[in-house]
Amino acid sequence: MKYRTEHDSMGEVLVPADRLWGAQTQRSYQNFRIGAGREMMPEEIIYAFGILKKAAAQANRELVPEKMTEEKLALISVVCDQVAEGKLNGHFPLVVWQTGSGTQSNMNANEVIASAVNELAGKKLCHPNDDINMSQSSNDTFPTAMHIAAVIALEDRLLPAAEALSAAFRRLEDENADIVKSGRTHLMDAVPLRFSQEISGWRSSLDQNILMVRRSCGMLKELALGGTAVGTGLNAPEGFAELAARKVSEITGREFVTAPNKFRALSSKSELVFTHGAVKAMACDLMKAANDIRWLASGPRNGLGEITIPANEPGSSIMPGKVNPTQCEQVTMVAVQIMGNDAAIGFAASQGNFELNVFMPVIAYNFLQSVRLLAESMESFRRNCVEGLKADREKMKQNLYRSLMLVTALNPYIGYENAARTAHYAFEKNITLREACTALGFMTESEFDAAVRPEEMA
């Protein structure tokens, strides 16, 4: 492999000749061989750096045109677009487990953009610190990248996947509005409800989760950019924070604003904790729905068996013909991972000291993993399970009419205690409620039939 010599304030470093990064990136690459090739700085953060570096250059052009020339801005914009579009991913080799401020990833972006600009210009036009990092610090750019990446991931990936799954549940509601089945509480038989009502619980929970995520996105649209090193804005021209936020908004088509208090924006990660809480809530509700579906599909002969789900692949290496609820299982595993990520994010966010939180890369890594996993999980669950879910009407009817909890309809006629005696007697003698009620002398058969109408109880 061929190398070239790069230098920084600590001296010279050999860098692979075919890579755009510089000395500071190389030092981090060599010093933090932790999770290399596996736990890399998320691509979403890299893309967000492309956006914010372009916005910063545009703001600097307006505020300090003597430093940010039109020539520099034009080429910086071209390269930043390439970064944001993922065209330079091979030049961002750093892992999550690096400096807790994300300084090395900020410098990775600065060095790559400067080198690419200089290649396009055919001369040394831009310096990583003086030009690409102008009016900035790692301490305000990394939290800005986190917020930009989080908003884009939530609005472009998670919410569309959740809305598509909600629509699939809605279609199931419409298809199954006429089915009355046995309800269940505590995993035990309960009074009847419509299958569409049961499905509506899954759908309504998801809709509420969507609303919570949307509301929390608003807080993430406050940017730390302009706070520089400790929140005072040192070395940034007056008005930079506000103008840079407007430029980010123009580039992304989303309404970002500058954070009103930069000291909080640099040291507190509460917005990410709060928003990830909404993501976790969605995961919790999806775990519930997935578990309901696999319970209802259990069997096919010795379980509840009230629904069928698509048979996507063989379920056993030893039991021929076995089919398992694998899509439900992947949803529940993803939910568990997200709950673990939430704990990591909470612990990391609690560790801000003085003017900076130095656990930002692990927060970004876990947050974006949760969003990515949950979005992909919902897409797979919808396509490979929910859209092919079918009610077994006959089995639902059988279970409904065998349920002892239909006795609840007798409360107004014979009282709670006599109704309880009827249910216990029916269970002990293995007879129907109708037979038990008449045997105990509480009602005639015609009176029972008039009182117990499962379809009307829903």
Side-chain angles (χ1 to χ4, degrees), residues 40-332:
M40 311 301 292
M41 186 60 63
E43 291 179 352
E44 297 94 333
I45 294 292
I46 295 168
Y47 305 156
F49 266 113
I51 292 167
L52 77 88
K53 293 295 178 180
K54 180 178 180 178
Q58 290 176 343
N60 282 322
R61 174 59 186 158
E62 292 188 27
L63 297 172
V64 281
E66 68 280 6
K67 293 182 178 179
M68 180 57 64
T69 65
E70 188 59 42
E71 181 185 16
K72 290 180 180 179
L73 174 61
L75 293 179
I76 289 172
S77 296
V78 169
V79 174
C80 284
D81 286 344
Q82 294 175 342
V83 172
E85 292 165 7
K87 294 179 179 178
L88 298 179
N89 281 1
H91 301 279
F92 291 86
L94 303 186
V95 296
V96 172
W97 317 109
Q98 53 164 280
T99 175
S101 62
T103 298
Q104 290 149 359
S105 282
N106 178 48
M107 282 308 304
N108 187 186
N110 292 333
E111 290 176 343
V112 167
I113 294 168
S115 294
V117 165
N118 293 339
E119 281 190 4
L120 289 175
K123 60 183 178 180
K124 195 166 185 178
L125 180 65
C126 285
H127 186 278
N129 299 79
D130 296 336
D131 296 299
I132 312 304
N133 203 56
M134 187 189 302
S135 309
Q136 306 153 61
S137 163
S138 298
N139 297 350
D140 66 346
T141 57
F142 199 87
T144 297
M146 290 169 72
H147 278 211
I148 294 171
V151 168
I152 292 174
L154 290 167
E155 293 186 344
D156 288 2
R157 300 190 68 178
L158 186 72
L159 289 173
E163 287 164 349
L165 180 55
S166 175
F169 283 143
R170 175 72 76 177
R171 287 193 295 273
L172 282 179
E173 286 180 62
D174 295 340
E175 292 169 7
N176 295 283
D178 61 326
I179 301 177
V180 177
K181 63 183 291 291
S182 177
R184 295 179 178 88
T185 58
H186 303 270
L187 297 182
M188 308 298 283
D189 300 346
V191 295
L193 79 167
R194 294 187 181 277
F195 186 35
S196 59
Q197 292 172 323
E198 191 166 46
I199 298 167
S200 78
W202 308 333
R203 190 260 312 153
S204 182
S205 295
L206 187 53
D207 288 346
Q208 187 71 6
N209 300 143
I210 291 169
L211 181 61
M212 288 189 284
V213 171
R214 284 199 183 282
R215 286 176 175 172
S216 63
C217 276
M219 291 181 289
L220 291 176
K221 291 178 180 177
E222 292 186 359
L223 303 181
L225 197 58
T228 65
V230 296
T232 61
L234 179 68
N235 290 347
E238 186 176 352
F240 175 81
E242 294 76 12
L243 183 56
R246 286 202 299 273
K247 297 299 183 182
V248 171
S249 298
E250 291 171 6
I251 293 168
T252 62
R254 304 163 208 266
E255 295 183 10
F256 287 96
V257 297
T258 190
N261 188 304
K262 302 299 188 295
F263 307 103
R264 181 192 60 76
L266 269 60
S267 61
S268 172
K269 303 298 137 205
S270 57
E271 297 95 339
L272 288 158
V273 173
F274 185 86
T275 306
H276 193 270
V279 174
K280 181 181 72 170
M282 184 178 287
C284 290
D285 282 330
L286 286 168
M287 174 175 268
K288 189 268 182 193
N291 277 331
D292 283 356
I293 289 170
R294 64 174 172 171
W295 272 109
L296 291 171
S298 62
R301 292 188 174 176
N302 295 326
L304 294 180
E306 292 190 345
I307 64 172
T308 59
I309 54 178
N312 296 318
E313 64 277 317
S316 173
S317 61
I318 190 172
M319 294 175 280
K322 194 171 192 295
V323 176
N324 294 331
T326 51
Q327 286 297 320
C328 297
E329 291 166 4
Q330 65 85 1
V331 171
T332 57

Side-chain angles (χ1 to χ4, degrees), residues 355-377:
E355 279 65 60
L356 189 66
N357 179 290
V358 291
F359 286 72
M360 288 191 285
V362 73
I363 293 173
Y365 179 76
N366 282 283
F367 187 101
L368 292 167
Q369 184 195 54
S370 290
V371 173
R372 189 166 53 247
L373 282 177
L374 193 55
E376 292 173 358
S377 173

Side-chain angles (χ1 to χ4, degrees), residues 192 400-414 419 422 432-435 437 443-457:
L400 173 65
Y401 279 88
R402 291 177 61 239
S403 173
L404 296 178
M405 289 306 99
L406 296 179
V407 77
T408 306
L410 300 180
N411 287 355
Y413 301 97
I414 64 175
T422 300
T432 66
L433 284 173
R434 187 173 186 261
E435 292 168 334
C437 190
M443 302 178 84
T444 65
E445 291 181 350
S446 59
E447 288 172 335
F448 182 92
D449 292 341
V452 181
R453 296 182 178 181
E455 286 76 12
E456 294 182 5
M457 294 171 69

